[in-house]
Amino acid sequence: MHHRGSGHADQHRRRHRHRLHRRGCAVTVRTRFCPSPTGLVHVGVMRTALFNWAHARHTGGTFVFRVEDTDAARDSEQSYRHLLDSLRWLGLDWDEGPEVGGPHGPYRQSQRREVYRDVAARLLQAGHAYESFSTPEEVEARRRAAGQDPKLGYDNADRDLTDEQEAAYRAEGRQPVLRLRMPDADLAWTDLIRGDVRFAAGSVPDFVLVRGNGVPLYPFTNPVDDALMGITDVLRGEDLLSSTPRQLALYAALTDIGVAEGPPRFGHLPLVTGEGNRKLSKRDPESNFDVYRERGFLPEGLVNYLALLGWSIADDRDVFTPEELVRAFDVTRVSANPARFDVKKAEAINATHLRALPVEDFVARVVPFLARAGLVGDPPTAEQARVLRAIAPLVQERVVVLSDAVDLVRFLFTDEVEIDPAAAGRQLAGAEAAEVLDAATTALRELPGWTAPDVEAALKEALVDGLGRKLRQAFGPVRVAVTGRTVSPPLYESIELLGRDRTLARLAAARAAVPG
RNA sequence: GCCCCCAUCGUCUAGCGGUCCAGGACGCCGCCCUUUCAAGGCGGUAGCACGGGUUCGAACCCCGUUGGGGGCACCA
């Protein structure tokens, strides 16, 4: 009935965008990020945080961080701490919120019970909310008896209970929930991302604000806090789009009793999906934000990729810094299409940022990963720092994430190298390998100088000129002997940094391991 | 089942009625460079879901179909 093509939505959105900009200086934008601290941090959640942050920063507005810890059964302090840490690591600083403060605190819902109790009472008194005694079982039974689908939910049966009926329920010891009386009108708004959206009157039943035991629920606390904190722009996942009519109705009631000053603007961000176009769930391993950090993604690399999940900076470019994101971000240009989380692309974007780093910066960022692997101290010793600085440029362009560096430089920070069996099988198998190792040993043992060019000249003379080997065959066995792997930084530089003693020892060890 | 959202290369996107036999990126495939692996350079592969309108002209506007997704709790 209300189907419209995307183009229509675009038109509305564009009109709205102009309005946004014209009045941008009059009304300061206030966005918020309001996760609940339950378990793992989800990449989709961080994408939502990023867009709210970027929108606030772009418009010169305020970014509020609020924690929705109203579910005692699932929330944890550890998860809460982890959320703050993740946000800070990504570089998303908040202007108001936990550990920062602000004029609308406290910013943890668990500390705002009084606020909700008060607002609930006022809603009840004003007649916008009412007490409802029906149990879920009774509602379902009534639906079935009427030949309706129980999925329709609550039937608004308790809207106009008489005093006698109410008294009777109370006499039974029932604890009523508090429900919002939904208005008898269409609920519609102009979405910042999707244009006009409309839900027909009567399609959303009266919903629960406060449980029978007095605990307020998310559909209640969320808009109440948004209103009290002066939130102007709500950017959230599309999965919450169908709860927007309820928010709008609540907002109307809150506005009536003086708690709110009209509804905020809404922008429903496209879902982040995984394989098979399904919403990326917490079960999917790639949804875990921590693994990217642990693998050594750069915050700016991840910010870049996350921003690409629904937004683009230009038609010919997709690598940018957080500063460029803030400068260019326009929420009305966010795509309404679901976005598949593509680890490969995320890696490619990150690798580009990695390569663009000044060498000293790269070293500083990679040290924690090497230290954790036990290769260097943190901080590294002077000698370790010297070697690291020398090898860094060669490693930097060979890694996608920082942790990739561990295996590439390990041979430089151990006395004896452990040779990868598969590499040995390929390069240290026969008599030819033995010949190469012997010749290399002879050439390097008495070499006067020990720079990379010295090493290169000596090895080429001995192996290519001397033994008549092709470059490939000549250096394969040497590389595996020296680094333990078939993949390594460039050989001559590696040998220079390794030093003569360790190089000769490794050639000898590899020679001894050659069968026959 | 009901409500809502979405629809351009395999993936993410650009596209705002003519400049689009559709541009970029990732991926993939070649070639060049090359001591391995990368990086870099060059080239290639592949897309407007379908059907009707509107218009001189539609990837773009309208309607429908189909397909995909999300939501329908005293969770958030």
Coordinates of all heavy atoms in Angstrom, one line a residue, chain B residues 5 12-13 17 19 23 25 31 33-35 37 39 45 47-49 52-53 56 59-61 64-65 68 72 74:
Chain B
rC5 P 8.5 1.2 4.3 OP1 8.5 2.7 4.1 OP2 7.8 0.4 3.3 O5' 10.0 0.7 4.3 C5' 11.0 1.3 5.1 C4' 12.3 0.6 5.0 O4' 12.1 -0.8 5.5 C3' 12.9 0.4 3.6 O3' 13.6 1.6 3.2 C2' 13.8 -0.8 3.8 O2' 14.9 -0.4 4.5 C1' 12.9 -1.7 4.7 N1 12.1 -2.7 4.0 C2 12.7 -3.8 3.5 O2 13.9 -3.9 3.6 N3 12.0 -4.7 2.8 C4 10.7 -4.6 2.7 N4 10.0 -5.5 2.0 C5 10.0 -3.4 3.1 C6 10.8 -2.5 3.8
rC12 P 27.1 -6.2 -1.1 OP1 26.1 -6.3 0.0 OP2 26.6 -6.1 -2.5 O5' 28.0 -4.9 -0.9 C5' 28.7 -4.8 0.4 C4' 29.5 -3.5 0.4 O4' 30.7 -3.7 -0.5 C3' 28.8 -2.3 -0.2 O3' 28.0 -1.7 0.7 C2' 30.0 -1.5 -0.6 O2' 30.6 -0.9 0.6 C1' 31.0 -2.5 -1.1 N1 30.9 -2.6 -2.6 C2 31.6 -1.8 -3.4 O2 32.3 -0.9 -2.9 N3 31.5 -1.9 -4.8 C4 30.6 -2.8 -5.3 N4 30.5 -2.8 -6.6 C5 29.9 -3.7 -4.5 C6 30.0 -3.6 -3.1
rU13 P 26.8 -0.8 0.2 OP1 26.0 -0.3 1.3 OP2 26.1 -1.4 -1.0 O5' 27.7 0.4 -0.3 C5' 27.2 1.3 -1.3 C4' 28.4 2.0 -1.9 O4' 29.2 1.0 -2.6 C3' 28.0 3.0 -3.0 O3' 27.8 4.3 -2.4 C2' 29.3 3.0 -3.9 O2' 30.3 3.8 -3.3 C1' 29.7 1.5 -3.8 N1 29.2 0.7 -4.9 C2 29.6 1.0 -6.2 O2 30.5 1.8 -6.4 N3 29.1 0.2 -7.1 C4 28.2 -0.8 -7.0 O4 27.8 -1.4 -8.0 C5 27.7 -1.0 -5.6 C6 28.2 -0.3 -4.7
rG17 P 18.2 14.8 -11.9 OP1 18.1 16.2 -12.2 OP2 17.2 14.1 -11.0 O5' 18.1 14.0 -13.3 C5' 17.8 12.7 -13.5 C4' 18.0 12.3 -14.9 O4' 16.7 11.8 -15.4 C3' 18.4 13.4 -15.8 O3' 19.3 12.9 -16.8 C2' 17.1 13.8 -16.5 O2' 17.3 14.2 -17.9 C1' 16.4 12.4 -16.6 N9 15.0 12.6 -16.7 C8 14.1 13.4 -16.0 N7 12.9 13.3 -16.4 C5 12.9 12.3 -17.4 C6 11.8 11.7 -18.1 O6 10.7 12.0 -18.1 N1 12.3 10.7 -19.0 C2 13.6 10.3 -19.1 N2 13.9 9.4 -20.0 N3 14.6 10.9 -18.4 C4 14.2 11.8 -17.6
rU19 P 24.2 10.3 -21.6 OP1 24.3 9.5 -22.8 OP2 23.9 9.7 -20.3 O5' 25.4 11.3 -21.4 C5' 26.3 11.5 -22.5 C4' 27.5 12.3 -22.1 O4' 27.0 13.6 -21.6 C3' 28.2 11.8 -20.8 O3' 29.1 10.7 -21.1 C2' 28.9 13.0 -20.3 O2' 30.1 13.2 -21.0 C1' 27.9 14.1 -20.6 N1 27.2 14.5 -19.5 C2 27.8 15.5 -18.7 O2 28.9 16.0 -19.0 N3 27.1 15.9 -17.6 C4 25.8 15.4 -17.2 O4 25.3 15.9 -16.1 C5 25.3 14.4 -18.0 C6 25.9 14.0 -19.1
rG23 P 32.4 2.2 -17.0 OP1 32.7 2.5 -18.4 OP2 32.2 0.7 -16.6 O5' 33.4 2.8 -16.1 C5' 33.8 4.2 -16.3 C4' 34.0 4.9 -15.0 O4' 32.7 5.2 -14.4 C3' 34.7 4.0 -13.9 O3' 36.1 4.0 -14.1 C2' 34.3 4.8 -12.7 O2' 35.0 6.0 -12.5 C1' 32.8 5.0 -13.0 N9 32.0 3.9 -12.5 C8 31.4 2.9 -13.3 N7 30.8 2.0 -12.6 C5 31.0 2.4 -11.3 C6 30.6 1.8 -10.1 O6 29.9 0.8 -9.9 N1 31.0 2.5 -8.9 C2 31.8 3.7 -9.0 N2 32.1 4.2 -7.9 N3 32.2 4.2 -10.1 C4 31.8 3.6 -11.2
rA25 P 40.2 1.5 -9.1 OP1 41.7 1.8 -9.0 OP2 39.7 0.5 -10.1 O5' 39.8 0.9 -7.6 C5' 40.1 1.6 -6.5 C4' 39.5 1.0 -5.3 O4' 38.1 1.0 -5.4 C3' 39.8 -0.5 -5.1 O3' 41.1 -0.8 -4.6 C2' 38.7 -1.0 -4.3 O2' 38.9 -0.6 -2.9 C1' 37.5 -0.1 -4.8 N9 36.8 -0.9 -5.9 C8 36.9 -0.7 -7.3 N7 36.1 -1.5 -7.9 C5 35.5 -2.2 -7.0 C6 34.5 -3.3 -7.0 N6 34.0 -3.8 -8.1 N1 34.0 -3.8 -5.8 C2 34.5 -3.3 -4.7 N3 35.4 -2.3 -4.5 C4 35.9 -1.8 -5.7
rC31 P 51.2 -14.6 -17.1 OP1 51.7 -15.9 -17.7 OP2 51.1 -14.5 -15.6 O5' 52.0 -13.4 -17.6 C5' 51.9 -13.0 -19.0 C4' 52.1 -11.5 -19.1 O4' 51.0 -10.8 -18.5 C3' 53.3 -11.0 -18.4 O3' 54.5 -11.2 -19.1 C2' 53.0 -9.5 -18.3 O2' 53.2 -8.8 -19.5 C1' 51.5 -9.5 -18.0 N1 51.2 -9.4 -16.6 C2 51.3 -8.1 -16.0 O2 51.7 -7.2 -16.7 N3 51.1 -8.0 -14.7 C4 50.8 -9.0 -13.9 N4 50.5 -8.8 -12.7 C5 50.6 -10.3 -14.5 C6 50.9 -10.5 -15.8
rC33 P 60.2 -8.1 -17.0 OP1 61.4 -7.7 -17.8 OP2 59.9 -9.5 -16.7 O5' 60.3 -7.3 -15.6 C5' 60.7 -5.9 -15.6 C4' 60.6 -5.4 -14.1 O4' 59.2 -5.5 -13.7 C3' 61.4 -6.2 -13.1 O3' 62.8 -5.8 -13.1 C2' 60.6 -5.9 -11.8 O2' 61.0 -4.6 -11.3 C1' 59.2 -5.8 -12.3 N1 58.5 -7.0 -12.2 C2 57.9 -7.3 -10.9 O2 58.0 -6.5 -10.0 N3 57.2 -8.5 -10.7 C4 57.1 -9.3 -11.8 N4 56.4 -10.5 -11.6 C5 57.7 -9.1 -13.0 C6 58.3 -7.9 -13.2
rU34 P 63.9 -6.9 -13.2 OP1 65.2 -6.1 -13.2 OP2 63.6 -7.8 -14.3 O5' 63.8 -7.7 -11.9 C5' 64.1 -7.1 -10.6 C4' 63.5 -8.0 -9.5 O4' 62.1 -8.2 -9.7 C3' 64.1 -9.4 -9.5 O3' 65.4 -9.4 -8.9 C2' 63.0 -10.2 -8.8 O2' 63.2 -10.0 -7.4 C1' 61.8 -9.5 -9.3 N1 61.1 -10.2 -10.4 C2 60.1 -11.0 -10.0 O2 59.7 -11.2 -8.9 N3 59.5 -11.7 -11.1 C4 59.8 -11.5 -12.4 O4 59.2 -12.2 -13.3 C5 60.9 -10.6 -12.7 C6 61.5 -10.0 -11.7
rU35 P 66.4 -10.7 -9.1 OP1 67.7 -10.2 -8.6 OP2 66.2 -11.2 -10.4 O5' 65.8 -11.7 -8.0 C5' 66.3 -13.1 -8.1 C4' 66.1 -13.7 -6.8 O4' 67.1 -13.3 -5.9 C3' 64.7 -13.4 -6.1 O3' 63.7 -14.3 -6.6 C2' 65.1 -13.6 -4.7 O2' 65.0 -15.0 -4.3 C1' 66.5 -13.2 -4.6 N1 66.7 -11.9 -4.0 C2 66.6 -11.7 -2.7 O2 66.3 -12.6 -1.9 N3 66.8 -10.4 -2.2 C4 67.2 -9.3 -3.0 O4 67.4 -8.2 -2.4 C5 67.3 -9.6 -4.4 C6 67.1 -10.8 -4.8
rC37 P 57.4 -15.7 -4.9 OP1 56.4 -16.7 -5.4 OP2 57.9 -14.6 -5.8 O5' 56.7 -15.0 -3.7 C5' 56.2 -15.8 -2.6 C4' 55.8 -14.9 -1.4 O4' 57.0 -14.3 -0.9 C3' 55.0 -13.7 -1.8 O3' 53.6 -14.1 -1.9 C2' 55.3 -12.7 -0.7 O2' 54.6 -13.1 0.5 C1' 56.7 -12.9 -0.5 N1 57.6 -12.0 -1.2 C2 57.9 -10.8 -0.6 O2 57.5 -10.6 0.6 N3 58.7 -9.9 -1.2 C4 59.1 -10.2 -2.4 N4 59.9 -9.3 -3.0 C5 58.8 -11.4 -3.1 C6 58.0 -12.3 -2.5
rA39 P 50.5 -6.9 -2.5 OP1 49.1 -6.6 -2.0 OP2 50.7 -7.6 -3.8 O5' 51.3 -5.5 -2.6 C5' 51.5 -4.7 -1.4 C4' 52.5 -3.7 -1.7 O4' 53.8 -4.3 -1.9 C3' 52.3 -2.9 -2.9 O3' 51.4 -1.8 -2.7 C2' 53.7 -2.4 -3.3 O2' 54.1 -1.4 -2.4 C1' 54.5 -3.7 -2.9 N9 54.7 -4.6 -4.0 C8 54.1 -5.8 -4.2 N7 54.4 -6.4 -5.3 C5 55.4 -5.5 -5.9 C6 56.1 -5.6 -7.1 N6 56.1 -6.6 -7.9 N1 57.0 -4.5 -7.3 C2 57.0 -3.5 -6.5 N3 56.4 -3.4 -5.3 C4 55.5 -4.4 -5.1
rU45 P 37.1 -7.2 -20.3 OP1 36.3 -7.4 -21.5 OP2 37.1 -5.9 -19.6 O5' 36.8 -8.3 -19.2 C5' 36.9 -9.7 -19.6 C4' 36.5 -10.5 -18.4 O4' 37.4 -10.3 -17.3 C3' 35.1 -10.1 -17.8 O3' 34.1 -10.8 -18.5 C2' 35.3 -10.6 -16.3 O2' 35.0 -12.0 -16.2 C1' 36.7 -10.4 -16.1 N1 37.0 -9.2 -15.3 C2 37.0 -9.2 -13.9 O2 36.6 -10.2 -13.3 N3 37.3 -8.0 -13.3 C4 37.7 -6.8 -13.9 O4 37.9 -5.9 -13.2 C5 37.7 -6.9 -15.3 C6 37.4 -8.0 -16.0
rG47 P 27.9 -8.8 -16.9 OP1 26.8 -9.6 -17.5 OP2 28.6 -7.8 -17.8 O5' 27.2 -7.9 -15.7 C5' 26.5 -8.6 -14.7 C4' 25.8 -7.5 -13.8 O4' 26.9 -6.7 -13.3 C3' 24.9 -6.5 -14.5 O3' 23.6 -7.0 -14.7 C2' 25.0 -5.3 -13.6 O2' 24.1 -5.6 -12.5 C1' 26.4 -5.4 -13.1 N9 27.3 -4.4 -13.8 C8 27.7 -4.5 -15.1 N7 28.5 -3.5 -15.4 C5 28.6 -2.8 -14.3 C6 29.3 -1.6 -14.1 O6 30.0 -0.9 -14.8 N1 29.1 -1.1 -12.8 C2 28.3 -1.7 -11.8 N2 28.3 -1.2 -10.6 N3 27.7 -2.9 -12.0 C4 27.9 -3.3 -13.3
rC48 P 22.7 -6.5 -15.9 OP1 21.4 -7.3 -15.8 OP2 23.5 -6.6 -17.1 O5' 22.5 -5.0 -15.6 C5' 21.2 -4.5 -15.3 C4' 21.3 -3.8 -13.9 O4' 22.2 -2.7 -14.1 C3' 19.9 -3.3 -13.5 O3' 19.9 -3.4 -12.1 C2' 20.0 -1.8 -13.9 O2' 19.3 -1.0 -13.0 C1' 21.5 -1.5 -13.8 N1 22.0 -0.5 -14.8 C2 22.5 0.7 -14.2 O2 22.4 0.9 -13.0 N3 23.1 1.6 -15.1 C4 23.2 1.3 -16.4 N4 23.8 2.2 -17.2 C5 22.7 0.1 -16.9 C6 22.1 -0.8 -16.1
rA49 P 18.5 -3.8 -11.4 OP1 17.5 -2.8 -11.7 OP2 18.9 -4.1 -10.0 O5' 18.1 -5.1 -12.2 C5' 18.9 -6.2 -12.2 C4' 18.0 -7.5 -12.3 O4' 17.5 -7.8 -11.0 C3' 16.8 -7.3 -13.2 O3' 17.1 -7.6 -14.5 C2' 15.8 -8.3 -12.5 O2' 16.1 -9.6 -13.0 C1' 16.2 -8.2 -11.1 N9 15.4 -7.2 -10.4 C8 15.8 -6.0 -9.8 N7 14.8 -5.3 -9.2 C5 13.7 -6.1 -9.5 C6 12.4 -5.9 -9.1 N6 11.9 -4.8 -8.4 N1 11.5 -6.8 -9.5 C2 11.9 -7.9 -10.2 N3 13.2 -8.2 -10.6 C4 14.0 -7.2 -10.2
rG52 P 6.9 -4.9 -20.9 OP1 6.8 -5.3 -22.3 OP2 7.9 -3.8 -20.5 O5' 5.5 -4.4 -20.4 C5' 5.0 -3.1 -20.6 C4' 4.1 -2.7 -19.5 O4' 4.6 -3.0 -18.2 C3' 3.9 -1.2 -19.5 O3' 2.9 -0.8 -20.5 C2' 3.4 -1.0 -18.1 O2' 2.1 -1.3 -17.9 C1' 4.3 -2.0 -17.3 N9 5.6 -1.3 -17.0 C8 6.9 -1.7 -17.4 N7 7.8 -0.9 -16.9 C5 7.1 0.0 -16.1 C6 7.6 1.0 -15.2 O6 8.7 1.4 -15.1 N1 6.5 1.7 -14.6 C2 5.2 1.4 -14.7 N2 4.4 2.1 -14.0 N3 4.8 0.4 -15.5 C4 5.8 -0.3 -16.1
rG53 P 3.5 0.1 -21.6 OP1 2.3 0.7 -22.3 OP2 4.5 -0.6 -22.4 O5' 4.2 1.3 -20.8 C5' 3.8 2.6 -20.9 C4' 3.0 3.0 -19.7 O4' 3.5 2.3 -18.5 C3' 3.2 4.5 -19.4 O3' 2.1 5.2 -20.0 C2' 3.2 4.6 -17.9 O2' 2.0 4.7 -17.3 C1' 3.9 3.2 -17.5 N9 5.4 3.3 -17.5 C8 6.2 2.4 -18.3 N7 7.5 2.7 -18.1 C5 7.5 3.7 -17.2 C6 8.6 4.4 -16.6 O6 9.8 4.2 -16.8 N1 8.2 5.4 -15.7 C2 6.8 5.7 -15.5 N2 6.6 6.7 -14.6 N3 5.8 5.1 -16.0 C4 6.2 4.1 -16.8
rC56 P 7.2 13.8 -24.8 OP1 7.0 15.3 -25.2 OP2 6.0 12.9 -24.9 O5' 8.4 13.2 -25.6 C5' 8.3 12.7 -26.9 C4' 9.6 12.5 -27.5 O4' 10.4 13.7 -27.6 C3' 10.5 11.6 -26.6 O3' 10.2 10.2 -26.8 C2' 11.9 12.0 -27.1 O2' 12.2 11.4 -28.3 C1' 11.7 13.5 -27.3 N1 12.1 14.3 -26.1 C2 13.5 14.4 -25.8 O2 14.3 13.8 -26.5 N3 13.8 15.1 -24.7 C4 12.9 15.7 -24.0 N4 13.3 16.5 -22.9 C5 11.5 15.6 -24.3 C6 11.1 14.9 -25.4
rA59 P 18.3 3.4 -18.8 OP1 19.3 4.4 -19.4 OP2 17.9 2.3 -19.7 O5' 18.9 2.8 -17.5 C5' 18.2 1.7 -16.8 C4' 18.5 1.8 -15.3 O4' 19.9 2.0 -15.1 C3' 17.8 3.0 -14.6 O3' 16.5 2.6 -14.2 C2' 18.7 3.2 -13.4 O2' 18.5 2.3 -12.4 C1' 20.1 2.9 -14.0 N9 20.8 4.1 -14.5 C8 21.1 4.4 -15.8 N7 21.7 5.6 -16.0 C5 21.8 6.0 -14.7 C6 22.4 7.2 -14.2 N6 23.0 8.1 -14.9 N1 22.3 7.4 -12.8 C2 21.7 6.4 -12.1 N3 21.2 5.3 -12.5 C4 21.3 5.1 -13.8
rC60 P 15.3 3.6 -14.2 OP1 14.2 2.9 -13.6 OP2 15.2 4.2 -15.5 O5' 15.8 4.8 -13.2 C5' 16.0 4.5 -11.8 C4' 16.6 5.8 -11.2 O4' 17.8 6.1 -12.0 C3' 15.7 7.0 -11.3 O3' 15.7 7.6 -10.0 C2' 16.3 7.9 -12.4 O2' 16.1 9.2 -12.0 C1' 17.7 7.5 -12.4 N1 18.3 7.6 -13.7 C2 19.3 8.6 -13.8 O2 19.6 9.3 -12.9 N3 19.9 8.8 -15.0 C4 19.5 8.0 -16.1 N4 20.1 8.2 -17.2 C5 18.6 7.0 -15.9 C6 18.0 6.8 -14.7
rC61 P 14.6 7.3 -9.0 OP1 14.9 8.0 -7.7 OP2 14.3 5.9 -9.0 O5' 13.3 8.1 -9.6 C5' 13.0 9.4 -9.3 C4' 11.6 9.7 -9.8 O4' 11.7 9.9 -11.3 C3' 10.6 8.6 -9.6 O3' 10.0 8.7 -8.3 C2' 9.6 8.9 -10.7 O2' 8.7 10.0 -10.4 C1' 10.5 9.4 -11.8 N1 10.9 8.2 -12.7 C2 9.9 7.7 -13.5 O2 8.8 8.1 -13.5 N3 10.3 6.7 -14.4 C4 11.5 6.2 -14.4 N4 11.8 5.2 -15.3 C5 12.5 6.8 -13.6 C6 12.2 7.8 -12.8
rG64 P 2.1 -0.3 -6.1 OP1 1.0 -0.4 -5.1 OP2 3.5 0.1 -5.7 O5' 2.2 -1.6 -7.0 C5' 1.1 -2.2 -7.5 C4' 1.5 -3.2 -8.5 O4' 2.3 -2.6 -9.5 C3' 2.3 -4.4 -8.0 O3' 1.5 -5.4 -7.4 C2' 2.9 -4.9 -9.4 O2' 2.0 -5.6 -10.1 C1' 3.2 -3.6 -10.1 N9 4.6 -3.1 -9.9 C8 5.0 -2.1 -9.1 N7 6.3 -2.0 -9.1 C5 6.8 -3.0 -10.0 C6 8.1 -3.4 -10.4 O6 9.1 -2.9 -10.1 N1 8.0 -4.5 -11.3 C2 6.9 -5.1 -11.7 N2 7.0 -6.2 -12.5 N3 5.7 -4.8 -11.3 C4 5.7 -3.7 -10.4
rU65 P 2.2 -6.5 -6.4 OP1 1.1 -7.3 -5.9 OP2 3.1 -5.7 -5.5 O5' 3.1 -7.3 -7.4 C5' 2.5 -8.2 -8.3 C4' 3.6 -8.9 -9.1 O4' 4.4 -7.9 -9.8 C3' 4.6 -9.7 -8.3 O3' 4.1 -11.0 -8.0 C2' 5.8 -9.8 -9.2 O2' 5.7 -10.7 -10.2 C1' 5.8 -8.4 -9.9 N1 6.6 -7.4 -9.2 C2 8.0 -7.5 -9.4 O2 8.5 -8.3 -10.2 N3 8.8 -6.5 -8.8 C4 8.3 -5.6 -7.9 O4 9.1 -4.8 -7.4 C5 6.9 -5.6 -7.7 C6 6.1 -6.5 -8.3
rG68 P 14.1 -15.1 -1.8 OP1 14.8 -16.4 -1.5 OP2 12.7 -14.9 -1.3 O5' 15.0 -14.0 -1.1 C5' 16.4 -14.0 -1.3 C4' 17.0 -12.7 -0.7 O4' 16.4 -11.5 -1.3 C3' 16.7 -12.5 0.8 O3' 17.5 -13.2 1.6 C2' 17.0 -11.0 0.9 O2' 18.4 -10.7 0.8 C1' 16.3 -10.5 -0.4 N9 14.9 -10.1 -0.2 C8 13.8 -10.7 -0.5 N7 12.7 -10.1 -0.1 C5 13.2 -9.0 0.5 C6 12.5 -7.9 1.1 O6 11.3 -7.7 1.3 N1 13.3 -7.0 1.7 C2 14.7 -7.0 1.6 N2 15.4 -6.0 2.2 N3 15.4 -8.0 1.0 C4 14.6 -8.9 0.5
rC72 P 11.3 -7.9 17.5 OP1 11.8 -7.5 18.9 OP2 11.4 -9.3 17.1 O5' 9.8 -7.4 17.4 C5' 8.8 -8.0 18.2 C4' 7.5 -7.8 17.6 O4' 7.6 -7.8 16.1 C3' 6.5 -9.0 17.8 O3' 5.9 -8.9 19.0 C2' 5.6 -8.9 16.6 O2' 4.6 -7.9 16.8 C1' 6.5 -8.5 15.5 N1 7.1 -9.6 14.8 C2 6.3 -10.3 13.9 O2 5.1 -10.0 13.8 N3 6.8 -11.4 13.2 C4 8.1 -11.7 13.4 N4 8.5 -12.7 12.7 C5 8.9 -11.0 14.2 C6 8.4 -9.9 14.9
rC74 P 5.5 -8.5 26.4 OP1 5.7 -9.8 26.0 OP2 4.2 -8.0 26.7 O5' 6.5 -8.2 27.7 C5' 6.9 -6.9 27.9 C4' 7.8 -6.9 29.1 O4' 6.9 -6.9 30.3 C3' 8.5 -8.3 29.2 O3' 9.9 -8.0 29.3 C2' 7.9 -9.1 30.4 O2' 8.8 -9.7 31.2 C1' 7.1 -8.0 31.1 N1 5.9 -8.4 31.7 C2 5.8 -8.4 33.1 O2 6.7 -8.1 33.8 N3 4.6 -8.8 33.6 C4 3.6 -9.1 32.9 N4 2.4 -9.5 33.5 C5 3.7 -9.1 31.4 C6 4.8 -8.8 30.9

